[in-house]
Amino acid sequence: SLLHQAILLQSLLHQAFLLQSLLYQAILLQSLLHQAILFQSLLHQAFLLQSLLHQAIILQSLLHQANLLQSLLHQAILLQSLLHQAIILQSLLHQANLLQSLLHQAILHQSLLHQAILLQSLLH
């Protein structure tokens, strides 16, 4: 009976060692599961960062396009100013041509007046 109890005790001790081994493996699995959850979280954060980087690149492109449009608008305003100045210069040139024409007519009238005076003095 003592031998039987020793065999039972040895069997229980063996089962205790097996349970301890299983518990240790369970702890290791729990640690691995925790690490997997952390890795999944890090992976999710990496995807979010990639998305944010993509959005930043798009915003940078939009900002570049806005700067180009601002530059084009500035050039358009300058061109509009130059066009306005050209219209004013065209008007001034037209007025100068009219004045030149009037000056030519005045010279012709003066010449005709001198000829009339000469004719009048010759007739008297």
Side-chain angles (χ1 to χ4, degrees):
S1 169
L2 193 58
L3 181 64
H4 183 65
Q5 288 180 354
I7 292 172
L8 281 175
L9 188 61
Q10 187 181 16
S11 175
L12 287 173
L13 188 60
H14 183 67
Q15 288 178 5
F17 281 128
L18 286 176
L19 283 174
Q20 186 179 18
S21 175
L22 287 174
L23 181 62
Y24 180 70
Q25 289 178 5
I27 292 171
L28 284 177
L29 284 174
Q30 187 179 22
S31 175
L32 287 174
L33 181 61
H34 184 68
Q35 289 178 7
I37 291 170
L38 287 176
F39 181 74
Q40 187 179 23
S41 175
L42 289 173
L43 188 61
H44 183 66
Q45 289 177 8
F47 282 131
L48 288 176
L49 285 174
Q50 187 180 22
S51 175
L52 288 173
L53 180 62
H54 184 66
Q55 291 177 9
I57 291 170
I58 289 173
L59 286 174
Q60 187 179 24
S61 174
L62 290 173
L63 182 62
H64 183 66
Q65 290 177 10
N67 287 335
L68 287 176
L69 286 174
Q70 187 178 22
S71 175
L72 288 173
L73 180 61
H74 185 67
Q75 290 178 10
I77 291 170
L78 287 176
L79 285 174
Q80 187 179 25
S81 175
L82 288 173
L83 180 61
H84 184 68
Q85 291 176 11
I87 290 170
I88 291 172
L89 286 174
Q90 187 179 25
S91 175
L92 290 173
L93 183 60
H94 183 67
Q95 291 176 12
N97 285 336
L98 288 176
L99 286 174
Q100 187 179 23
S101 175
L102 288 174
L103 181 61
H104 280 289
Q105 289 178 11
I107 292 171
L108 285 175
H109 286 148
Q110 187 180 19
S111 175
L112 288 174
L113 183 61
H114 279 297
Q115 289 178 10
I117 293 170
L118 283 176
L119 279 174
Q120 191 179 20
S121 73
L122 286 175
L123 289 176
H124 291 291

